[in-house]
Amino acid sequence: MWGVVLRSILGSLPVLLIVSLITFGLMRLIPGDPAAAIAGMSVTSEQLELIRKDLGLDEPFVVQLAKWYGGLLQGDLGRSILMGQEVMEVTMIRLPVTIALSLYALVLTLALGLVSGIIAALRQNTVVDQLTMVFSMIGISVPNFFLGLLMILLFAVHLGWLPTGGYISLWDDPVGWLRTSTMPALSLALLQMGLLARITRSTMLEVLRQDYIRTARAKGLPGRLVVVKHALTNALIPITTVVGIIISLSISGAVVTESLFSIPGMGQLLTQAVLNRDYPMVQGGLLLTTTFLVLVNILVDIAYALLDPRVRYERS
Amino acid sequence: MNGPEGVAVARVADDAPLEEDFEVAAQRQSPWRMTVRRLFRHRLFLMGLGLCSIILLAGALAQVITQTDPTRLAMRWRFRAPGQDGFIFGTDNFGRSLWSRVVWGAQLSLYIGFSVVALNAVFGTLIGAAAGYFRRLDNALMRVNDALMAFPAILLAIAITAVLGASTFNAILALSIVYIPRTARIVRASVIVLREMEYVQAAVAAGAGHWRILRRHILPNAMAPLIVQLSFLFAYAVLSEATLSFLGLGAVPPTPTWGNIMAEGRQYLVEAPWIITIPGIALMITVMGLNLLGDGLRDVLDPRLRIQQ
């Protein structure tokens, strides 16, 4: 068991190393003078010099690289140009907002996607199955910002059930959080629900055809028991790996969704940073978000090993 | 994720010395014909083809089927509802015809989608084949690949366009960088399996060079999963481009893209909901059409990946 944990952590180290290298290199790809790009149109040469010094752009490449990694080891990602605060500090405030939203979307996805996938598999080739698959197809084809806009129009403008945007912290007011987060979470979840329903259905169909399921039924076990205990537990194993993808999709999707619903999370932060050419913020935010996702994937790997004895024994 | 073995066996026969013989050439066509016939019997594939054709036709004939310049301002025709005053899809806040803008937007979306797919087909295959075939390159190439795939797709694309600046070309570049690792991974997976097949070993033993083995024996059989991947990729590319331009990071206005039409229409959500709805539906039709095409291609080309019908 510990072998699996150790292995997935060690396996992620080179990925993280290269991710940080790419993030570092990205900012050096700015065509022309990065300081001028950051400063905008009207600046004096002294101001340019100041920006260059501030970002360490006046130093040789190797020194910049060494400083970047030195900073990383101390959790120092530089300062946001726009807000003047530490990138790390801002991220630690904003990231939990996005994570909470993503988890809400994940819960919706699991509740609706998983259940509809299982039902579709059990009722294969019936109207229920076909309807589920049609809805899944719509789910994976509607852009989340379009869905978000349509929901604002219907639930906020016409029906007046929910606010058009804004954000209330989960800790301050859970009901308020639900009111402000439900539309964004739904618009994020639809794509993933579609994906999950399709995957669950095909995995379930495969499992249901196995011999041991037939044996279980032949023994005279009640149908529900066969489905829940024998089929589902085994079908869930490959589905665990999808959870990592779903969280990654949520965080990607949150970029637009948060801007749409004015939620002060990572997505909105990064979009604003990008539009204002706040490069240290873009760089740090990208790196931290990706690191978070790598950690999620390590957890998914471990969960996978825990659930599937074959993986556990093979690897340890 | 490898090609059907039946095809692999057929390829061995293809390599017979009588390559130029007409009869052999005729036989070689038949698996293709069979595939096409099966595709045309696949209901969902046909639906996808129908949806894609609508958009493709609109994009290709943009010049012919639109009368007004999509960027021409006509303030006295502002906010006409669809059908009003002869505007099929209505007008936006500057009085520009939405029909015109959405049709030209289709052309741009398809252009970007095709470009990303073409770049993926070339570089994804090159990197995937190199990593899968040459064991020495595998580790280095795949580590970089894994790292690029660790970034959330849209976030990386946004960061790249942020650095390079917003433009159509940079959007294509950013989306290619984001998706090529995913394509390469799929090609690599097929190549690794095919490399160990007996007919490839036989070709090695017969003294064929690396290039010939890859080109004639391995890559043709790795095509099926690649084609399936590329059709889904087209859908992601169109969707991601719309997202980028919705955020103001795609083609620069007034050039119409579905994303930036919707971004502009957002302020008039209540007074003129058609400004976001029409490009949104166009986008949905495209993506759904491509997804259905992809499902159909997967069912026919790669039966082992099939979602059971």
Side-chain angles (χ1 to χ4, degrees):
Chain A
M1 178 58 227
W2 287 109
V4 177
V5 176
L6 199 67
R7 198 173 299 223
S8 46
I9 292 173
L10 286 180
S12 304
L13 286 181
V15 171
L16 280 177
L17 190 75
I18 300 172
V19 162
S20 56
L21 205 60
I22 293 172
T23 324
F24 170 80
L26 206 58
M27 211 168 94
R28 271 72 197 167
L29 286 180
I30 303 168
D33 183 1
I38 290 164
M41 295 295 182
S42 51
V43 276
T44 59
S45 55
E46 289 89 54
Q47 278 173 307
L48 273 184
E49 206 48 54
L50 208 69
I51 293 173
R52 238 173 252 139
K53 206 172 181 102
D54 210 34
L55 295 174
L57 290 169
D58 51 350
E59 284 164 305
F61 185 79
V62 186
V63 178
Q64 288 184 35
L65 189 66
K67 279 200 172 162
W68 164 246
Y69 277 109
L72 281 189
L73 289 178
Q74 294 165 26
D76 176 16
L77 288 162
R79 230 165 235 288
S80 158
I81 298 170
L82 196 63
M83 290 173 284
Q85 284 167 290
E86 294 275 335
V87 169
M88 196 68 167
E89 205 178 299
V90 185
T91 308
M92 286 305 131
I93 299 169
R94 300 294 197 101
L95 194 58
V97 175
T98 303
I99 294 175
L101 181 63
S102 301
L103 286 180
Y104 187 9
L106 182 67
V107 170
L108 290 175
T109 306
L110 290 176
L112 297 167
L114 208 57
V115 171
S116 58
I118 293 167
I119 293 174
L122 293 176
R123 302 262 180 281
Q124 195 192 356
N125 296 333
T126 62
V127 181
V128 182
D129 179 23
Q130 276 159 4
L131 274 181
T132 313
M133 286 303 107
V134 168
F135 276 112
S136 311
M137 185 39 96
I138 294 174
I140 61 172
S141 305
V142 185
N144 62 9
F145 57 93
F146 182 45
L147 187 71
L149 286 167
L150 291 181
M151 281 201 292
I152 292 178
L153 201 57
L154 180 65
F155 295 115
V157 177
H158 287 302
L159 298 171
W161 291 352
L162 294 165
T164 52
Y167 181 75
I168 296 169
S169 165
L170 177 60
W171 311 118
D172 296 349
D173 175 6
V175 179
W177 179 78
L178 273 179
R179 280 175 56 83
T180 50
S181 299
T182 298
M183 280 201 293
L186 260 179
S187 78
L188 276 179
L190 195 74
L191 164 77
Q192 304 151 16
M193 269 181 222
L195 281 178
L196 188 65
R198 282 157 61 103
I199 294 168
T200 308
R201 176 178 178 272
S202 63
T203 321
M204 271 302 272
L205 284 177
E206 215 150 272
V207 172
L208 284 173
R209 254 193 249 139
Q210 306 265 322
D211 287 341
Y212 73 88
I213 297 290
R214 199 187 315 150
T215 311
R217 287 199 204 277
K219 280 199 299 195
L221 289 181
R224 184 174 299 170
L225 191 73
V226 175
V227 169
V228 174
K229 205 175 160 199
H230 295 241
L232 196 58
T233 38
N234 280 302
L236 278 180
I237 296 168
I239 294 169
T240 351
T241 52
V242 183
V243 172
I245 299 173
I246 289 178
I247 294 180
S248 171
L249 279 175
S250 275
I251 296 208
S252 264
V255 177
V256 194
T257 309
E258 285 176 2
S259 311
L260 200 58
F261 290 96
S262 337
I263 292 175
M266 264 329 265
Q268 199 198 40
L269 181 70
L270 282 174
T271 317
Q272 276 166 3
V274 162
L275 293 174
N276 291 298
R277 299 184 162 264
D278 185 352
Y279 292 112
M281 192 66 243
V282 176
Q283 196 176 26
L286 186 65
L287 183 64
L288 286 174
T289 313
T290 310
T291 308
F292 171 73
L293 286 177
V294 171
L295 294 180
V296 167
N297 278 314
I298 293 177
L299 290 180
V300 169
D301 271 359
I302 294 171
Y304 185 68
L306 280 177
L307 282 172
D308 192 341
R310 282 170 304 185
V311 178
R312 200 164 60 217
Y313 290 128
E314 232 171 67
R315 292 199 192 161
S316 55
Chain B
M1 288 274 212
N2 51 308
E5 275 148 67
V7 182
V9 175
R11 297 295 312 181
V12 181
D14 276 356
D15 211 34
L18 285 175
E19 236 171 70
E20 301 307 315
D21 193 306
F22 287 118
E23 276 184 41
V24 175
Q27 269 176 13
R28 189 184 292 165
Q29 273 184 355
S30 66
W32 280 108
R33 262 193 218 147
M34 241 167 63
T35 308
V36 171
R37 208 177 308 139
R38 278 165 65 201
L39 279 175
F40 277 90
R41 267 194 235 123
H42 197 285
R43 259 190 323 167
L44 294 178
F45 177 85
L46 287 177
M47 249 167 77
L49 197 66
L51 292 178
C52 291
S53 310
I54 300 174
I55 304 294
L56 200 66
L57 276 177
L61 301 176
Q63 201 113 40
V64 187
I65 55 175
T66 60
Q67 276 79 45
T68 44
D69 180 346
T71 59
R72 201 188 66 189
L73 311 183
M75 295 309 269
R76 65 195 176 108
W77 298 114
R78 301 175 75 195
F79 297 127
R80 291 295 183 273
Q84 208 185 339
D85 292 329
F87 292 103
I88 310 172
F89 283 169
T91 60
D92 68 3
N93 49 315
F94 291 117
R96 295 173 296 195
S97 155
L98 265 181
W99 163 253
S100 211
R101 289 178 68 71
V102 169
V103 166
W104 283 98
Q107 196 177 58
L108 194 71
S109 279
L110 291 174
Y111 165 67
I112 292 174
F114 269 122
S115 311
V116 173
V117 165
L119 286 171
N120 264 270
V122 174
F123 291 100
T125 307
L126 273 177
I127 297 171
Y133 189 75
F134 301 107
R135 280 166 219 241
R136 274 189 209 159
L137 292 176
D138 192 20
N139 218 328
L141 283 175
M142 282 304 114
R143 286 295 83 76
V144 177
N145 228 43
D146 286 350
L148 281 169
M149 283 171 67
F151 290 101
I154 288 282
L155 233 51
L156 183 59
I158 287 175
I160 296 171
T161 39
V163 164
L164 300 176
S167 77
T168 308
F169 177 78
N170 288 342
I172 294 173
L173 200 65
L175 293 176
S176 300
I177 294 174
V178 169
Y179 288 117
I180 284 172
R182 288 154 225 260
T183 309
R185 178 111 118 185
I186 284 170
V187 174
R188 171 182 172 267
S190 329
V191 171
I192 283 182
V193 173
L194 291 166
R195 186 182 67 189
E196 304 302 332
M197 301 276 255
E198 277 174 15
Y199 77 94
V200 173
Q201 302 295 326
V204 176
H210 292 313
W211 175 242
R212 184 178 170 81
I213 289 174
L214 269 175
R215 198 173 54 89
R216 289 211 41 97
H217 300 284
I218 292 186
L219 287 180
N221 289 314
M223 281 301 114
L226 177 66
I227 292 171
V228 175
Q229 155 77 2
L230 290 179
S231 64
F232 288 123
L233 177 80
F234 203 136
Y236 300 145
V238 169
L239 209 52
S240 311
E241 184 277 327
T243 307
L244 284 182
S245 55
F246 184 73
L247 292 172
L249 293 165
V252 186
T255 307
T257 72
W258 291 339
N260 71 25
I261 298 172
M262 290 171 81
E264 283 178 26
R266 207 180 133 183
Q267 299 158 35
Y268 311 102
L269 189 63
V270 182
E271 308 93 295
W274 57 87
I275 304 178
I276 58 141
T277 318
I278 290 167
I281 290 173
L283 190 53
M284 206 178 114
I285 290 176
T286 316
V287 175
M288 191 182 288
L290 288 164
N291 278 331
L292 287 169
L293 276 187
D295 276 358
L297 283 168
R298 182 186 49 200
D299 285 353
V300 171
L301 291 176
D302 216 345
R304 271 172 294 178
L305 299 175
R306 180 200 299 249
I307 291 184
Q308 278 82 7
Q309 294 291 326

